[in-house]
Structures are given as structure tokens and as C-alpha cells.
Amino acid sequence: MTKAATYDYIIVGAGSAGCVLANRLSADPANRVLLLEAGGRDRNPLFRLPMLMGKLFQSGIYNWHYHTEPEAHLGGRSLYWPRGKALGGSSTINGMIYVRGNRHDYDRWAQLGLPGWSYEEVLPAFRRSEGHIQRQDEFHGGSGELTVCRARSKSMLHDVFVEAGTQAGHPANDDFNGAEQEGVGKFDFTIKDGKRWSTSFAFLRPVLARPNLTVETEAMTQRVLIENGRAAGVRFVQGGVVREVRAEREVVLAAGTVNSPQLLMLSGIGPADELAAHGIDVAHDLPGVGKNLQDHVDCVMSWECRQPVTLYGDLRADKLVWSVAQGMLFGTGIVTTFPYEAGAFLKSRPDLVAPDIQLHFMPALEKTANLHFPNPFRRRQAVEANHGFTLRVGPVNPESRGEITLRSADPADKPRIVANYLQSEFDLRTMISGIRMTREIIAQEAFAPYRGRELAPGPDRLDDGELEAWLRATAMTTFHPVGTCKMGIDPMAVVDARLEVHGIEGLRVADASIMPVISSGNTNAPAIMIGERASDFILGKAAA
């Protein structure tokens, strides 16, 4: 083991929050900052092209490639859980949709006894990061490092979806991050010049030359070193060599919803009985570590399209080769857009104070929204055979709770993930309401020229029992896990309102795992905001 180097701050995880922290903490040249990342550098140029996200999402590149345990309420299915493993973390492989959540999410956090987390208090942190190309107003920032833009696709079916939503009685919404979240509209995206703008590109790469910032990749952290109730440093392995580094001020875990609780437990911080079962010495009995796991469950509804106006024709191999070159060289063309550009936040009941259902609309069928090759010898097929459109439908405030637990005391062993999707009857009923509302939108006059046969769930699945059986057989994740190191003041809380781990000095958690309750929508923007708030707390700044 090499001699321990010393830093002021050690950040574990160069993901969405970790890159922000590395930037903000190293802005003061007096701060010596070390950023540790288990993955490599994000050099593959194909990951920069938004349209290729779906295919690359399934690969093992830049990816922890996790899977859940068999899910008891989904017929024993094990679901794929991709998590980013590279500079930029999951922002290197995600769908780039920029959604902050609903203002009521953050006000609820504050009402749980967490000062500093109301909507009015987190809005400045959102605006500080944001560099929106088109929007500059009281809700948006124009000078932040994180470039955000409006939807870029020219697919007319996105507009058809929005029109149909208004025909069904839902308000049109030009900005899901503005004054109101409810309605149908188009998402904003973290895309710059036609390419993915991850937190690595936004926050980390521009400051890599700072002499007080050290970034180590392929560095797998094994544990936090706890001495006399304080985080004194970390142990990691890199290139087969075990190293220890010391932190004079703080260790900050920004390793994500799976890896942050895993690291705490490997370090002896967690449920004492579970740690003892793996032969881990208990540094601090903290029963909430790994609990409170939340994720957005959803289902995939689809219809045939009667006209050849979907993405299917654009994803032929002979066309896509040019499209990729066009995207890489000029930042234009179909591959610089993301297929799920339109969507909605809907209320299943008019008396709700905020939307409880989110829709993502794609002008393609998931099974055909991939690279394919033309076959000149095949008999011409009807348009409906390949053209269609898809909607992903799910609740934004799920009640179901799961957990992350250790598989063993070996840091290289992937932890056990039990999400407990559809454990709650509330989640099931909300999803069924969402299915019915989606069918109502697609039944509107705007879709009449395009709407073909309903493929999934299918026109024969009408009553609640049939829809429940279909959901338990097909429901999946929206890839938004949070909550496993929850912020709070109750006995199951892991960190306090300043993200400091209860009972351990000099140790914080700063990533989506600290959410006490999941935000309403895609979770990458909130994770970046959490990085901003953590930097405020560490540096003693107001959220300006």
C-alpha cells in the first residue's frame, strides 16, 4: 500500500452531483480536491449523439450494468438497472431530459423538517447551474455551465400528441420547469450543439487544469476510513494497487443511489445486524442506510401508425451512417435529437394539487427504434408493420419502497437491489388511471389520420383485472432510483438537512440517494441541484 496523500476534500463519484462539487470546491485555489471515479474517462464519441442513447444504454460501456433481484410484484422478473460508470456518471448515458420536478416536491421536503430545501430555496441552485439557450426568465438561468435547450426534433407526431392532449382537456404547457408543471408539451434537454452535454463536459472538463484538482479514474473506492467517529479518508484500488488517501476537512460520497449506501455499509455505517451478518465491524448503527429506495415504475403503451411519418424510416442503416457523420461533424440531423421529446404531467383527479402521472411520447415503436437494414428482396409490407408510436406511462409519486443491501463484504460484489415495484395498491391504481387517460388522448381527432391498432396493452384489455395482469407482466423502471441515504430527522434518516451523515463527523452524501421523497419527473436535474446545495453547505454560501 502506497503512502497516503492528503487533501482537503475527497469526493467519491464523478457523476451528476460529483462533477458539480469538484468544480465548485476547487474554484478556491486554497482547497485541495480529489475526485475518485470507479469508471473511466468518457471518450467514446458515439455517446455524445442523443439518438443513439437507447442502443448504447443497453451496453456495458460506461455502465455498472446492475439488475434487481426477482421482483415479487412483477411476476418474479429481474429488471435491468443501468447506472453510469464514467466521468459524468449517469448523465453520460441517460435520456438528457431536463425536468426539475414540481415545486410541491421541495416544499414537502421542507415540511419534513428540512430547512433550506423549499422550492424557493432550491430554485436559485437550479438557475445557477443552468445555461438555457432559449429561456431566460425568473425560472431559468442563462449563464450556467449546464447547457439546456428546447426539444429539437422536427417530427410532426410530437405536435400531434400535444394537440391531442389539449383536445382531451389538458392544458398546453410550453415549459414543464416554469410556473406550472401540469399539461402536455415538449421537454427541455441537456444538449449542446447537437451533442449530449453531460456533467463531465459541463462542469469537470473545463476545470481539469486546475492545479488543486486531482481526478483519478478506474479508482474503485472500497471503504471510508473512520477514526474516532470521523471520516479520515478513503481506501481505493486502482490498477491492482490498494491506496489510501486522507481528508483534512471532509469526505463526500456522490456515488449514487446504489453505490453510496453500499460504501457506507462497507465502511461499517448502516444497520448493525446486517453489517454483523457480513462480518463488518460496526462504526455506527444507522438503520436507514439502503432503505427508502424509490423509483418511477412505468409501462409501455404502443399503437400502429397508419402513415410512414415515424422515426422508423430515419433509422435505416444506409441513412444512419450519413446521419451519424452529419451529427458528429455539424451537430445537425436526426441523431442529434432524442426520440422521447414530447410528454405530459397529468392529474388523475382534478382535486390533486399537483400532477401524479407522467407520459413520455415517442414517434416510433420501441422494437423498431433501432438501427435496421433494408431488405430489397422482401415483399413490400404495409406501413403498419413497422411504423408506430409509443407512450411510457407511470406515477410520479410512487408509494412502493425497496432497499439496497450488501451481497457480501467484498466491495467488488454487486449489492442486492429490491425495488418492490407495484408493491403498493396506490401505484397500481395510479398506473391504471394513467393508461385510461393515455387512451383518451390517443382517441382524439388529432390522431385520427395516424392512429392504427393499439398494440399494447391491446384493445381487449379493458377492465382493471386485465390491466393489472398486464402491468405485473410488463411494467418496468424509468431508471430514476433515489432515496437510499435519505435526508431527514427521523430514526431512519441517514443525513441531515446539510447532507452530513448522522453520527459521523466530516462525512456527507450528495447525490439522488438523499431524496426523502422522489421528485416528480426525471431525476438528473435534481441530482445536479443537490450537488450545488452540497457545495453551498460545505463552502458556507447562501443559495444565490
Side-chain angles (χ1 to χ4, degrees):
M1 186 181 299
T2 59
K3 183 180 178 180
T6 301
Y7 299 86
D8 294 305
Y9 301 102
I10 299 173
I11 305 165
V12 179
S16 295
C19 287
V20 174
L21 276 164
N23 181 302
R24 303 304 187 222
L25 297 185
S26 65
D28 183 345
N31 292 333
R32 297 163 298 164
V33 179
L34 172 65
L35 178 63
L36 297 175
E37 169 55 42
R41 295 186 179 268
D42 48 340
R43 292 187 174 126
N44 189 324
L46 293 181
F47 277 80
R48 305 280 325 277
L49 296 176
M51 185 62 73
L52 301 187
M53 170 265 171
K55 191 70 174 175
L56 298 172
F57 203 53
Q58 302 298 321
S59 76
I61 306 172
Y62 301 156
N63 197 336
W64 286 96
H65 221 259
Y66 289 128
H67 291 78
T68 71
E69 299 298 298
E71 289 290 328
H73 310 285
L74 296 183
R77 290 182 291 129
S78 175
L79 300 191
Y80 176 47
W81 261 38
R83 297 283 87 201
K85 187 180 182 182
L87 296 181
S90 292
S91 74
T92 299
I93 64 172
N94 71 356
M96 298 154 287
I97 295 176
Y98 183 82
V99 168
R100 296 173 178 172
N102 194 284
R103 65 171 59 233
H104 295 286
D105 298 331
Y106 304 106
D107 289 342
R108 183 179 179 186
W109 293 7
Q111 290 164 5
L112 291 172
L114 299 168
W117 291 95
S118 70
Y119 175 74
E120 293 301 328
E121 290 168 304
V122 302
L123 179 58
F126 278 119
R127 295 185 73 248
R128 183 197 313 156
S129 290
E130 185 184 20
H132 206 296
I133 294 175
Q134 293 96 355
R135 307 184 197 274
Q136 282 89 42
D137 56 33
E138 62 185 299
F139 300 105
H140 295 280
S143 59
E145 296 91 340
L146 186 72
T147 298
V148 181
C149 67
R150 289 175 178 264
R152 297 163 49 89
S153 173
K154 293 181 173 58
S155 171
M156 48 85 66
L157 283 180
H158 290 302
D159 297 315
V160 170
F161 170 77
V162 174
E163 182 180 0
T166 60
Q167 290 175 350
H170 305 290
N173 192 336
D174 182 60
D175 182 6
F176 292 129
N177 301 306
E180 296 291 339
Q181 187 186 46
E182 184 185 8
V184 291
K186 297 181 183 180
F187 297 113
D188 285 354
F189 292 85
T190 51
I191 295 175
K192 182 176 182 179
D193 298 329
K195 297 183 178 65
R196 172 189 298 276
W197 198 241
S198 70
T199 55
S200 170
F201 276 82
F203 297 98
L204 188 59
R205 285 178 176 240
V207 300
L208 284 175
R210 288 177 179 169
N212 62 323
L213 174 62
T214 302
V215 179
E216 298 285 358
T217 56
E218 307 288 349
M220 180 77 170
T221 301
Q222 297 182 322
R223 63 177 297 152
V224 180
L225 304 175
I226 308 297
E227 298 176 0
N228 299 317
R230 181 178 182 84
V234 303
R235 177 180 299 162
F236 67 97
V237 60
Q238 183 183 51
V241 177
V242 176
R243 298 174 56 190
E244 288 188 357
V245 285
R246 311 286 291 183
E248 290 195 348
R249 296 185 183 178
E250 293 193 20
V251 173
V252 185
L253 300 186
T257 297
V258 177
N259 297 93
S260 283
Q262 180 192 26
L263 273 172
L264 286 175
M265 289 185 282
L266 289 171
S267 308
I269 303 168
D273 55 343
E274 295 181 23
L275 301 184
H278 293 294
I280 297 173
D281 293 335
V282 178
H284 183 57
D285 181 11
L286 207 54
V289 174
K291 314 307 180 187
N292 192 50
L293 174 62
Q294 300 160 61
D295 190 14
H296 288 136
V297 63
D298 74 357
C299 62
V300 178
M301 301 180 70
S302 59
W303 280 261
E304 293 174 338
C305 185
R306 295 165 53 202
Q307 297 190 36
V309 292
T310 74
L311 294 176
Y312 179 75
D314 294 309
L315 297 178
R316 276 178 30 181
D318 53 337
K319 292 185 177 180
L320 201 60
V321 170
W322 161 244
S323 295
V324 169
Q326 181 184 7
M328 293 300 297
L329 294 173
F330 308 112
T332 59
I334 189 68
V335 297
T336 68
T337 67
F338 184 67
Y340 282 103
E341 290 208 349
F345 289 93
L346 308 178
K347 294 179 180 179
S348 63
R349 306 192 317 270
D351 59 310
L352 295 176
V353 297
D356 60 338
I357 294 167
Q358 183 178 7
L359 309 184
H360 295 80
F361 175 83
M362 175 172 70
L365 300 174
E366 285 208 341
K367 66 179 181 179
T368 63
N370 287 304
L371 173 68
H372 57 271
F373 295 86
N375 183 352
F377 303 105
R378 185 174 59 191
R379 179 178 296 180
R380 180 178 176 83
Q381 294 178 301
V383 167
E384 294 85 349
N386 294 313
H387 287 278
F389 47 88
T390 298
L391 284 115
R392 299 190 68 152
V393 182
V396 295
N397 305 125
E399 278 190 349
S400 300
R401 297 292 185 268
E403 64 178 5
I404 305 286
T405 57
L406 293 179
R407 196 173 300 274
S408 76
D410 183 352
D413 273 357
K414 294 181 178 180
R416 296 183 186 275
I417 302 170
V418 177
N420 276 331
Y421 295 112
L422 296 187
Q423 173 195 48
S424 165
E425 184 75 9
F426 172 85
D427 297 350
L428 180 66
R429 296 304 153 199
T430 305
M431 290 192 78
I432 290 174
S433 296
I435 290 171
R436 299 193 189 287
M437 295 176 77
T438 301
R439 281 174 165 168
E440 184 180 4
I441 291 173
I442 302 305
Q444 299 302 311
E445 180 63 25
F447 269 111
Y450 313 101
R451 181 180 58 245
R453 181 171 60 96
E454 181 182 313
L455 299 173
D460 298 330
R461 292 189 172 97
L462 296 174
D463 65 39
D464 285 3
E466 292 167 332
L467 292 175
E468 176 180 348
W470 178 74
L471 284 170
R472 296 201 186 280
T474 63
M476 56 187 295
T477 169
T478 320
F479 314 110
H480 299 159
V482 307
T484 51
C485 298
K486 84 165 187 174
M487 176 172 53
I489 57 176
D490 62 283
M492 294 299 287
V494 177
V495 301
D496 64 17
R498 295 177 61 83
L499 308 185
E500 295 171 310
V501 174
H502 289 299
I504 301 291
E505 294 183 8
L507 181 60
R508 295 185 206 246
V509 180
D511 54 38
S513 72
I514 64 92
M515 292 190 188
V517 181
I518 195 168
S519 58
S520 298
N522 312 73
T523 51
N524 188 241
I528 294 168
M529 178 274 291
I530 289 167
E532 292 281 16
R533 293 298 285 139
S535 72
D536 289 337
F537 300 141
I538 293 170
L539 298 173
K541 294 181 178 179

